[in-house]
Amino acid sequence: MFVSVGRWCARRPKRTIAAWLLLLLALGAAVALCGRVTSEAVSIPGSDSQAAADAARAFPGSASGKQPLVLHTGAGGADLTSAGARDAVAAAARNIAGVDHVVAVTTPYEGAGRAAMSADGHTAFLSVELDVTDRDITPEVTRRIVDAARPAEAAGIEVTPGGSLAAAADKGSTRHSEIIGLLAALAILWFGFRSAVAATVPLIAAVVGLGVSLSVVGLLGHLMDMPSAGSTIAAMIGLGVGVDYSLFCLTRFRELLGDGASVEDAAALTTAASGKAVAFAGCAVVAALASLALGGLPLLHALALAPGIAVLAAPAAGLTFGQLDGGDKVSSTASRTAYDRLAGAFGPGVNGPLQVTDALPDPASGPTDPRVDKVTDALKDTPGVAAVGPPQLSPDGRTARWQVTPTTAPGDPETARLVRRLRESTLPAATADTGHGAHVSGAPAAQLDLNDRLSRRLPAIIAFVLVIAALLLLLAFRSVVVAATAAVLNLVSVAAAYGVLTALFQQGWGAGALGLDGPVPIPGYVPLLMFAVLFGLSMDYEVFLLSAVREAYLKSGDHRGSVITGLARTGGIITSAALIMVCVFLSYLLSDDPVVKMFGIGLATAVALDATLVRGLLVPAAMILLGKANWWLPGWLDRALPRIDIEGGDHAPPPGPATEPEPGPEAEPDPEAAPPVTVRKT
């Protein structure tokens, strides 16, 4: 099939290129028409935070909740309670109420909003309610709301969006990172090929593929929650992998041309060999990423015990999962400005309030219902609670809700401890023997539930990825030893990446050089996604190296010589490909998003170590030591496995030994080999 596809494309280059361009244009038009949407919402079915969020639907309200628009005057500025400031803020509120999608605006001068005025009168916030969800708040919506607040700005009041409004405003382009990565890749490719055309082809192929994939990601945001960093991470991985795959195919194509093959034959044979290896390697990446469907993967503490590169992996043993908040953003962003001003005026907990909901078996008589009062008093008496808002009742009186402000920031571990305290002691005691139970939601509670769930799914994720990766290699190379060795050694580069991630971000080593103000917590999904991606990328290099080794072995039957030949044939390509990937990943350190920086550092570290230490030293050394045991496969398994010729063609059988083979596991006859040759003594 691969030969046919390669030959068909080679005979119809214009149609092939036109088809890809048409697909790219169609998807681009769809994105331009429908737009890209992102959401930081976390849905965790079966969790306590999800139960609280579901119960809160009994309350009428906007689709996105109340978004703060922070008002601030300096120490020498007018007090926000002065008559002039009140008039300016009231005028701004009226303007904002007329902006599309705004359904309500609450000022700090109204009864319901008086808590939004600081004690010194220099900081306050408007509560803006919209008829769209968080993921549909675009930078344009935020800009219109801020522009409508010009009467306040004209009076000397600084206006800064917060919450989802700030998140939309801070969405920056990573185009500069992509350009830097492409230029670095172009320089490396030109140095390797010494040809402008050969250096440009992999980049064009990668950019087209990236454009298609990013368009699909943008459209998927309409169907499911897509984090704001999703497109950036997809671009980071897609660009690096796309250039790498094109590089492997182009190198094989040039080799075939050099051997005298025609352009059409070279294209067909490249697709059959390198193309098949690329497809197989891509399946390994997809299989690793498919592990995400099992529910998440936190950092593997046991990986710190991996042999070899242990110094880098050691810090990973101390990694804990946390929650990023506005305080971890770059100081120049709206999110950070709003966070700091609200925290300074109202306390750090105001940036991550908790919601407690209680579904009552019978309607409450009112806010002073004894069942409601008991919960209110219990919440106020809980250590770590700074304030408790007045209880709210749903229209049918069956659901009560409280807003609880912690004394600590959303990302502070003490806030997570408060959530556990509320769930495990405060609320059970307050609702005992009443026939109802209360739940805790809010961003800190949801993040805690997410991290807990990731931890519980750890064994399943590890088993899935390792088994799938080993099975793919077993199918490709028909060797139990090769499959097991590769799966184990791949963990080495992953462990090192986690160690570097922990040291630089959680422990804050060199945080300033990364553009951060200090240590930042690592969200649980970061190690999860990194594990899947890194394991998949490690499998890429393994497939390319082993394909060359096995091809050489099938021709010569020389174990040691085939390893040397395979390494010599692919070492330069793998090194160049890894260097391109490292440059692409590191270029994303220019992003202001700490999560993007984490992926850039982690992926670059793992790829660099995997291409040099693991693939260049450990794998070849292990294969030479194992000898012909590398290709050992039990007969029953040989008969059960389907035949996959990943080398892309028939090969001459290895010559039969003239003497008794050295002791070791007995290899089954290679299905591609000719009948054994009998050597008789005369």
Side-chain angles (χ1 to χ4, degrees):
M1 181 185 74
F2 282 86
V3 174
S4 300
V5 170
R7 196 173 298 280
W8 190 94
C9 293
R11 290 175 176 174
R12 303 167 180 83
K14 294 182 179 179
R15 294 185 188 179
T16 303
I17 295 174
W20 276 104
L21 291 179
L22 182 62
L23 176 62
L24 180 61
L25 291 175
L27 290 174
V31 170
L33 180 64
C34 302
R36 288 188 174 96
V37 295
T38 61
S39 173
E40 308 303 325
V42 178
S43 179
I44 314 172
S47 67
D48 188 74
S49 60
Q50 190 64 45
D54 292 341
R57 293 174 182 166
F59 295 86
S62 67
S64 60
K66 296 181 178 180
Q67 303 297 330
L69 194 66
V70 182
L71 311 173
H72 178 75
T73 58
D79 194 304
L80 288 173
T81 59
S82 65
R86 290 173 65 103
D87 291 342
V89 172
R94 288 193 295 270
N95 287 352
I96 294 171
V99 174
D100 290 343
H101 301 300
V102 174
V103 296
V105 181
T106 304
T107 71
Y109 310 112
E110 305 173 34
R114 292 188 185 278
M117 178 68 70
S118 66
D120 64 4
H122 285 283
T123 304
F125 60 89
L126 300 174
S127 294
V128 181
E129 300 179 51
L130 301 98
D131 61 4
V132 294
T133 61
D134 288 345
R135 72 187 212 168
D136 293 321
I137 298 178
T138 64
E140 178 64 17
V141 170
T142 300
R143 185 189 63 79
R144 290 177 180 175
I145 291 174
V146 173
D147 287 346
R150 284 177 181 170
E153 292 181 333
I157 301 172
E158 297 179 30
V159 179
T160 307
S164 297
L165 294 175
D170 292 336
K171 288 178 182 176
S173 171
T174 59
R175 188 168 300 168
H176 53 289
S177 295
E178 278 107 32
I179 292 175
I180 292 174
L182 285 172
L183 290 176
L186 179 62
I188 296 170
L189 290 171
W190 185 88
F191 182 80
F193 290 124
R194 299 290 181 176
S195 167
V197 175
T200 305
V201 168
L203 298 183
I204 295 176
V207 169
V208 172
L210 182 62
V212 171
S213 61
L214 289 183
S215 298
V216 172
V217 170
L219 293 174
L220 285 177
H222 293 277
L223 304 177
M224 62 185 69
D225 290 329
M226 186 69 64
S228 57
S231 294
T232 302
I233 295 170
M236 183 190 308
I237 298 170
L239 187 58
V241 172
V243 174
D244 274 10
Y245 287 173
S246 299
L247 172 61
F248 287 120
C249 291
L250 181 59
T251 302
R252 186 60 174 261
F253 179 76
R254 284 166 60 92
E255 289 177 354
L256 291 169
L257 287 180
D259 292 338
S262 66
V263 172
E264 181 180 318
D265 289 341
L269 293 174
T270 295
T271 307
S274 295
K276 185 180 293 186
V278 163
F280 201 86
C283 290
V285 177
V286 172
L289 290 174
S291 66
L292 304 184
L294 297 181
L297 175 67
L299 172 67
L300 310 180
H301 292 268
L303 293 183
L305 303 178
I309 64 168
V311 173
L312 289 177
L319 183 139
T320 56
F321 297 143
Q323 175 188 353
L324 288 169
D325 54 37
D328 298 312
K329 298 289 186 180
V330 176
S331 56
S332 60
T333 60
S335 297
R336 177 65 180 274
T337 301
Y339 179 96
D340 288 343
R341 287 177 176 172
L342 291 176
F346 303 99
V350 74
N351 287 295
L354 303 172
Q355 285 77 45
V356 174
T357 57
D358 189 1
L360 305 173
D362 301 310
S365 58
T368 59
D369 186 290
R371 296 170 295 175
V372 177
D373 277 343
K374 188 175 182 180
V375 175
T376 302
D377 294 339
L379 291 173
K380 291 180 178 179
D381 293 338
T382 302
V385 172
V388 178
Q392 298 175 305
L393 292 177
S394 61
D396 61 4
R398 290 182 175 274
T399 305
R401 179 173 65 178
W402 298 261
Q403 178 160 301
V404 177
T405 304
T407 58
T408 51
D412 194 312
E414 286 300 323
T415 304
R417 295 188 184 97
L418 172 60
V419 174
R420 295 191 188 278
R421 191 178 302 124
L422 292 173
R423 290 173 173 174
E424 296 171 4
S425 58
T426 299
L427 294 176
T431 59
D433 303 324
T434 60
H436 59 98
H439 305 281
V440 183
S441 65
Q447 186 64 50
L448 176 63
D449 290 340
L450 177 62
N451 289 339
D452 286 346
R453 177 157 298 186
L454 297 181
S455 298
R456 290 195 299 271
R457 300 295 175 88
L458 170 62
I461 296 297
I462 296 175
F464 180 86
V465 174
L466 290 178
V467 169
I468 292 299
L471 284 177
L472 287 173
L473 287 175
L474 184 61
L475 286 172
F477 302 108
R478 310 189 70 78
S479 167
V480 174
V481 176
V482 164
T485 302
V488 172
L489 290 180
N490 283 349
L491 297 179
V492 176
S493 54
V494 176
Y498 283 150
V500 171
L501 194 72
T502 305
L504 292 181
F505 292 92
Q506 182 178 303
Q507 298 176 1
W509 299 359
L514 296 175
L516 302 173
D517 294 336
V520 296
I522 298 176
Y525 68 85
V526 171
L528 151 71
L529 186 55
M530 278 185 58
F531 177 85
V533 171
L534 291 176
F535 212 90
L537 294 180
S538 297
M539 295 300 292
D540 286 353
Y541 294 145
E542 185 76 6
V543 168
F544 296 131
L545 173 61
L546 292 182
S547 295
V549 173
R550 180 166 170 79
E551 183 176 0
Y553 173 70
L554 290 174
K555 291 180 179 178
S556 67
D558 181 0
H559 304 291
R560 183 184 183 90
S562 62
V563 173
I564 296 174
T565 300
L567 184 60
R569 180 176 170 184
T570 62
I573 305 174
I574 290 178
T575 301
S576 298
L579 185 57
I580 291 173
M581 260 197 203
V582 169
C583 291
V584 170
F585 293 153
L586 290 181
S587 68
Y588 283 86
L589 290 179
L590 299 176
S591 171
D592 291 336
D593 192 333
V595 171
V596 175
K597 293 178 184 290
M598 292 177 190
F599 277 102
I601 283 286
L603 293 176
T605 300
V607 168
L609 291 174
D610 189 82
T612 55
L613 180 62
V614 177
R615 232 50 58 184
L617 295 175
L618 296 182
V619 171
M623 295 189 74
I624 289 177
L625 289 175
L626 290 171
K628 75 172 187 178
N630 284 303
W631 311 112
W632 175 71
L633 184 69
W636 63 269
L637 187 56
D638 177 57
R639 293 186 293 271
L641 291 176
R643 309 291 177 183
I644 299 179
D645 176 25
I646 198 170
E647 290 79 29
D650 296 327
H651 303 282
T659 59
E660 188 69 17
E662 61 187 27
E666 182 179 355
E668 293 295 325
D670 193 300
E672 299 178 6
V677 178
T678 302
V679 179
R680 300 182 182 275
K681 294 183 179 180
T682 59

